[in-house]
């Protein structure tokens, strides 16, 4: 049996405002269902980005009651019937309209990560890895690029001027994946993480891991190990001695 719920949804561009709606909710629905019902019945011009409605495309990222979430994976049953549910766009990125933001910053940062570089003497089909290495990178490959981790990261969320120097957890995750790949021969990925991607600006609060819909342990399994590798290659006195000797 359905019920009427109270929603507050951001409408307009940066100078817009929250508007109130009362809309029917049925059993088993998610927040994206409600947004679609609003479009069909009360707000036909409401802008929202979505695609698969199955939690795998990462398109419908927004903030629900201030927390970065996927609209299609947030069940209405998690809220009480008398609760006011507020839906706003991701705060970290420039607002286009309503719930749609400009996430091109992320694609710029993606292009700055050097691609996987396999051994020159191996042909496709000749790559061999131990199962433990396959399993380690498999967690990182679950990323659906919803950019919720980027949205919640306070380094760029609260400091717009950090965006040029800091790539954010999603792309430091990618650097960590490649650095841990036993067949990747690109040099100095830890140094790239430190210098080009601003790894030192991350203070491992784990907020990125907390909002990841794929439950990737971004901080514990990627960012902290990457920081440890930076410390080893850059500050270990023995490695520094051999590096200077080589130079």
């Amino acid at each position: 049996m359905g019920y009427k719920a109270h929603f507050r949804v951001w409408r307009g561009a940066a100078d817009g405002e929250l508007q109130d709606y009362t809309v029917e909710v049925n059993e088993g629905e998610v927040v994206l269902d409600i947004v679609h019902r609003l479009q069909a019945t009360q707000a036909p011009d409401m802008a929202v980005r979505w695609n698969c409605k199955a939690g795998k495309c990462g398109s419908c990222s927004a903030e629900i009651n201030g927390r970065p979430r996927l609209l299609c994976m947030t069940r209405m049953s998690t809220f009480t019937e008398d609760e006011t549910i507020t839906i706003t766009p991701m705060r970290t990125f420039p607002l286009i309209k309503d719930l749609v933001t400009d996430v091109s910053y992320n694609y710029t940062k993606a292009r700055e990560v050097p691609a996987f570089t396999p051994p020159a003497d191996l042909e496709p089909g000749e790559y061999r890895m131990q199962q433990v290495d396959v399993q380690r990178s498999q967690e990182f490959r679950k990323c659906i690029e919803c950019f919720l981790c980027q949205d919640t990261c306070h380094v760029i969320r609260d400091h717009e001027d950090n965006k040029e120097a800091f790539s954010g957890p999603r792309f430091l995750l990618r650097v960590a994946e490649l650095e841990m790949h036993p067949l990747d021969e690109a040099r100095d990925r830890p140094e790239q993480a430190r210098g080009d991607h601003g790894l030192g600006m991350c203070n491992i609060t784990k907020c990125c891991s907390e909002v990841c819909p794929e439950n990737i342990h971004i901080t514990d399994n990627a960012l902290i190990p990457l920081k440890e590798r930076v410390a080893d290659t850059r500050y270990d006195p023995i490695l520094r001695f051999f590096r200077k000797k080589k130079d």
Side-chain angles (χ1 to χ4, degrees):
M1 184 176 178
Y3 64 94
K4 298 287 187 178
H6 182 210
F7 282 79
R8 304 194 76 203
V9 184
W10 185 267
R11 301 302 312 276
D15 58 349
E17 61 182 2
L18 288 168
Q19 293 191 12
D20 293 278
Y21 299 93
T22 299
V23 60
E24 182 181 353
V25 176
N26 299 312
E27 184 178 358
E29 289 187 325
V30 295
V31 173
L32 185 58
D33 291 317
I34 308 307
V35 172
H36 286 165
R37 183 166 295 121
L38 284 173
Q39 288 179 315
T41 61
Q42 302 180 51
D45 60 339
M46 181 183 293
V48 61
R49 184 181 285 129
W50 72 284
N51 188 18
C52 74
K53 201 176 178 290
K56 293 302 177 184
C57 74
S59 299
C60 64
S61 299
E63 298 188 10
I64 303 174
N65 291 348
R67 182 179 176 84
R69 294 175 179 265
L70 292 178
L71 298 177
C72 72
M73 297 301 289
T74 305
R75 294 199 167 275
M76 289 301 302
S77 58
T78 61
F79 307 104
T80 61
E81 294 188 7
D82 59 350
E83 183 174 357
T84 297
I85 302 168
T86 302
I87 310 175
T88 52
M90 289 190 288
R91 199 182 85 183
T92 299
F93 311 115
L95 180 58
I96 298 176
K97 180 187 176 184
D98 299 339
L99 302 178
V100 177
T101 54
D102 178 359
V103 294
S104 57
Y105 156 80
N106 299 286
Y107 301 115
T108 298
K109 293 302 179 181
R111 288 189 291 268
E112 294 175 359
V113 179
F116 170 68
T117 306
D121 58 343
L122 293 181
E123 297 294 331
E126 296 179 348
Y127 303 161
R128 299 293 182 269
M129 294 172 60
Q130 294 187 31
Q131 186 61 32
V132 65
D133 293 316
V134 174
Q135 292 172 341
R136 168 183 275 177
S137 64
Q138 186 62 40
E139 179 189 11
F140 303 151
R141 290 175 181 270
K142 289 164 57 182
C143 175
I144 60 174
E145 296 205 327
C146 61
F147 304 131
L148 292 180
C149 62
Q150 301 282 87
D151 181 46
T152 200
C153 178
H154 62 89
V155 177
I156 50 179
R157 182 182 178 92
D158 299 329
H159 306 280
E160 178 70 22
D161 55 350
N162 285 341
K163 286 186 176 179
E164 183 176 352
F166 186 64
S167 295
R170 191 284 167 260
F171 301 104
L172 288 169
L173 176 77
R174 175 61 175 159
V175 174
E177 175 193 344
L178 293 169
E179 163 63 15
M180 297 175 189
H181 198 299
L183 296 178
D184 180 64
E185 294 199 339
R187 297 185 57 190
D188 299 327
R189 290 204 187 271
E191 185 61 23
Q192 291 168 7
R194 187 197 68 84
D196 298 339
H197 303 289
L199 177 63
M201 301 173 75
C202 168
N203 55 12
I204 58 176
T205 59
K206 299 189 180 184
C207 54
C208 52
S209 301
E210 292 174 358
V211 300
C212 178
E214 288 292 327
N215 297 312
I216 303 172
H217 295 87
I218 302 172
T219 305
D220 290 339
N221 293 349
L223 302 185
I224 291 176
L226 194 56
K227 281 176 173 284
E228 291 172 344
R229 293 188 183 214
V230 168
D232 287 344
T233 58
R234 190 170 181 82
Y235 303 110
D236 182 277
I238 296 177
L239 291 178
R240 289 183 66 184
F241 172 79
F242 283 107
R243 185 167 60 248
K244 289 182 178 180
K245 187 174 181 181
K246 183 178 178 180
D247 295 340

